[in-house]
Amino acid sequence: MVNHQPTIGQESGTQLTHAGASGRSSMGELTGTTMTVIACHECDLLQRKITLPPGRVARCVRCGAKLYRVEYRSLDHTLALTVAAAIVFILANIFPIVSLQIQTTRNDTSLINAVHILLDHGMWPVAGLVFFTTFLAPFAVLAIMIHILLSLKRGYIPAGIAPVMRVLQIVNPWGMVEVFIIGVMVALVKLTHYGTLIPGMALWSLGVLTLLMTLTASSFDAHDIWNRVRFATPTKRQPVRAATLTAAGRGLLSCHVCGLLSSGGHGGRTVHCPRCSAPLHFRKPDSVARSWAFLVAAYILYIPANVLPIMETSSLFGAQADTILSGIIYLWHSGSWDLALVVFIASIMVPLLKLIALTLLLISVQRRSTWQPMQRAKLYRVVELVGRWSMLDIYVVAILAALVQIGPLATINAGPGALAFGAVVVLTMLSASEFDPRLIWAPIQKEEIDHE
Ligand SMILES: [Zn+2]
Ligand SMILES: [Zn+2]
C-alpha cells in the first residue's frame, strides 16, 4: 500500500562486531516499531521506513537530513555513559576551575562563583545566560536522560515522557559545555601575565564532561526512545498515494518532537500529537515573520556588540577597555595565534556568517525560490550547528571577571558590549530555530506536482 514511496537512503556507520542488543531483547512489551511511513522533519517528504542494520543512519532521499539511527548500543551502555557524565558534572561544579595566585592573594573560581560575580556587577542578563548554558541546560539534559533510560531499563514507560521529551528537545541546543571549556582555555592564556595559574579539579572534569556528553548525545536517539515506548499509531494503515510526496500534501502532520505521523485537523484548530501531545502544524506558524524579527534585532545589536567594550580592565597602570576585536589582536600579539584564530572565527566570523546565511534563507523562502534547495538545506544545518560557538567570548569574560578581582591591583569587569553580544548569540539562535526548513522545499514539490 505504501510501495510507491521512495526508500530511505542509508549511510554506513561504525561497524561494531558485538552489536549489543541485550537491553533491547529484554524489553518485552515495550519493544516493537509501529511506524511504517515517516515524514522527513526538514523537507516533509514521506518515506517508507526500512529496517537497517545496527549502527546505520537513515537519511532523507531528498534533502539528506538524518531521519533515524538504529542503535547498536544497549540501553545499559547509554545509561552508563549518562550516569558517568552526571558524576563528572557534579565534580565540575563543586571544585574550582582554576586558581590565580598574585603575590600572597589567591583567587579561586568555580562556575557558580563566576556567575555570582557577574551578578554582583549588575550583569544579570550575562550571568543568566552563562548559568543557563553551562549549568541549568546540561543539568536538565542529564537528569531527563537518566530518568528516561532508567525507567526503560526497568521495563516501565517513563513517567511524563511526553512533556519531558519536549523539554529535552528545547533545552538540548542550549547546553554549551564544550564551548565553555575552550572559553576557559582562552581566559587562561590572557591571565598568564597576572600571576601564577593553578588548574583546578573542575578544569579536568570539564574536559572529561565534554567528551562524555558528546558520547551520550550520540547514543541517545529520540526516535529510538519513542520506538521503545509502544503506541498504536492511528495513521499507519492509511494508504499513501504516490502523487502526493509530502506529509502536508497528504493531509498528514509529522510531529517535530517524536516523529509520529498523524492525520491533521481541519478548520484552523490546533491539533496535538496523539503520542507526545506536542502541538502540530503543517508549517510552523508565522515562521518567516518571527525569524525575521529575531534576525533584525540581532543585526541592530551586532553593531554595539562589536563597538562597545566587552571587557573593562583597571589596574595600577590605568584603565583599559577591550572590544572583541582588540581582544583578538591582544591574543595575536601575545603569541597565541591559534587561540586568536579560534576567537576570531567564533566571535567575528560565525555571527556574521549566521546573519548573512539566515537573511539569504529567509529571502529565498519568501520569494519561493527553487534555486539550489539542497545547498540551502545544508546551509541551514551548518547555521544550527555552529551558532553556539559564538558564546565563547562571553565565557572568556565571565572567567576573567571572576578571577581578576584584586582591588586596586587589577580588576576585570564585563562591559556593555558583552550584553549586546550575548543578545546577538541568543537572537540568532532563536531566529534559526524559528525558521522552518520545510519552506525551502515547498515550492519545489509544487513544481513536481504541477508536472504530473
Ligand atoms: Zn528531507
Ligand atoms: Zn509527537
Side-chain angles (χ1 to χ4, degrees):
M1 61 195 181
V2 287
N3 296 333
H4 310 294
Q5 293 309 313
T7 315
I8 291 154
Q10 51 173 288
E11 173 193 88
S12 44
T14 337
Q15 287 288 330
L16 276 195
T17 42
H18 56 286
S22 54
R24 187 162 311 189
S25 52
S26 61
M27 288 305 295
E29 274 281 89
L30 292 174
T31 326
T33 306
T34 45
M35 278 182 287
T36 49
V37 176
I38 54 168
C40 171
H41 60 279
E42 276 198 23
C43 75
D44 211 29
L45 187 74
L46 283 177
Q47 285 155 89
R48 199 151 50 94
K49 198 168 176 178
I50 55 164
T51 318
L52 291 175
R56 294 285 178 104
V57 174
R59 288 189 182 275
C60 173
V61 277
R62 179 160 73 170
C63 74
K66 194 177 117 187
L67 295 176
Y68 58 90
R69 186 180 51 225
V70 179
E71 258 331 307
Y72 53 82
R73 298 181 187 97
S74 64
L75 272 181
D76 289 341
H77 177 100
T78 315
L79 184 62
L81 276 176
T82 318
V83 170
I87 293 167
V88 179
F89 178 79
I90 295 168
L91 295 179
N93 279 289
I94 51 176
F95 289 103
I97 297 168
V98 66
S99 311
L100 178 67
Q101 178 131 25
I102 303 166
Q103 288 153 17
T104 51
T105 338
R106 183 171 162 163
N107 215 347
D108 294 337
T109 193
S110 63
L111 187 62
I112 300 301
N113 199 320
V115 171
H116 222 266
I117 285 169
L118 284 171
L119 267 181
D120 283 349
H121 290 91
M123 283 285 167
W124 62 267
V126 181
L129 192 57
V130 172
F131 184 68
F132 181 64
T133 54
T134 58
F135 183 83
L136 219 51
F139 174 78
V141 166
L142 289 173
I144 289 173
M145 283 183 178
I146 289 176
H147 164 65
I148 288 171
L149 293 167
L150 217 53
S151 306
L152 285 176
K153 188 176 149 50
R154 292 162 70 199
Y156 298 124
I157 293 175
I161 180 155
V164 153
M165 286 294 278
R166 281 165 67 189
V167 171
L168 183 66
Q169 199 191 29
I170 294 166
V171 166
N172 222 351
W174 295 94
M176 302 184 186
V177 176
E178 77 279 23
V179 185
F180 182 69
I181 183 114
I182 303 292
V184 173
M185 297 297 170
V186 176
L188 292 187
V189 169
K190 292 196 177 194
L191 283 169
T192 42
H193 75 274
Y194 279 96
T196 317
L197 286 165
I198 305 137
M201 173 81 169
L203 185 64
W204 313 117
S205 308
L206 278 169
V208 177
L209 182 63
T210 306
L211 185 73
L212 284 173
M213 295 227 23
T214 313
L215 290 173
T216 309
S218 76
S219 66
F220 186 96
D221 188 58
H223 281 233
D224 182 52
I225 297 295
W226 280 112
N227 286 337
R228 286 167 191 268
V229 181
R230 204 173 66 149
F231 188 91
T233 57
T235 55
K236 65 172 175 173
R237 275 169 230 95
Q238 284 198 11
V240 181
R241 282 177 294 122
T244 29
L245 289 165
T246 62
R250 179 70 193 100
L252 294 173
L253 288 158
S254 95
C255 174
H256 63 282
V257 176
C258 72
L260 182 74
L261 266 183
S262 51
S263 46
H266 299 283
R269 196 164 44 89
T270 310
V271 193
H272 291 267
C273 174
R275 179 157 69 176
C276 74
S277 70
L280 300 176
H281 310 281
F282 285 112
R283 299 287 177 260
K284 282 187 200 169
D286 307 322
S287 147
V288 174
R290 286 181 199 216
S291 193
W292 266 125
F294 286 127
L295 189 62
V296 169
Y299 265 116
I300 294 168
L301 286 167
Y302 186 72
I303 300 161
N306 281 285
V307 174
L308 295 177
I310 63 159
M311 192 171 87
E312 284 158 350
T313 317
S314 56
S315 65
L316 290 174
F317 314 104
Q320 189 193 339
D322 270 310
T323 61
I324 291 172
L325 199 61
S326 71
I328 295 169
I329 293 167
Y330 170 82
L331 274 176
W332 185 273
H333 284 307
S334 67
S336 318
W337 62 269
D338 42 358
L339 282 177
L341 200 66
V342 168
V343 180
F344 179 75
I345 291 172
S347 307
I348 307 268
M349 296 278 283
V350 168
L352 197 62
L353 283 176
K354 257 190 102 168
L355 290 173
I356 295 169
L358 283 167
T359 310
L360 188 83
L361 285 171
L362 282 168
I363 290 175
S364 73
V365 156
Q366 272 186 320
R367 299 182 64 190
R368 301 189 62 78
S369 162
T370 53
W371 172 77
Q372 296 283 358
M374 187 70 181
Q375 298 304 319
R376 283 185 288 144
K378 280 183 182 165
L379 184 66
Y380 168 72
R381 263 168 244 158
V382 170
V383 165
E384 284 229 296
L385 196 72
V386 300
R388 54 208 284 108
W389 283 93
S390 315
M391 277 295 286
L392 188 64
D393 247 16
I394 299 286
Y395 294 144
V396 174
V397 173
I399 295 289
L400 291 176
L403 276 175
V404 188
Q405 296 288 338
I406 332 159
L409 270 177
T411 303
I412 292 181
N413 285 319
L419 281 177
F421 193 79
V424 171
V425 179
V426 173
L427 287 166
T428 48
M429 280 182 73
L430 289 174
S431 175
S433 78
E434 278 302 321
F435 182 79
D436 190 341
R438 289 177 292 190
L439 292 172
I440 296 174
W441 301 91
I444 289 132
Q445 82 221 10
K446 177 91 173 47
E447 270 195 354
E448 280 168 3
I449 291 167
D450 289 346
H451 272 287
E452 281 177 29

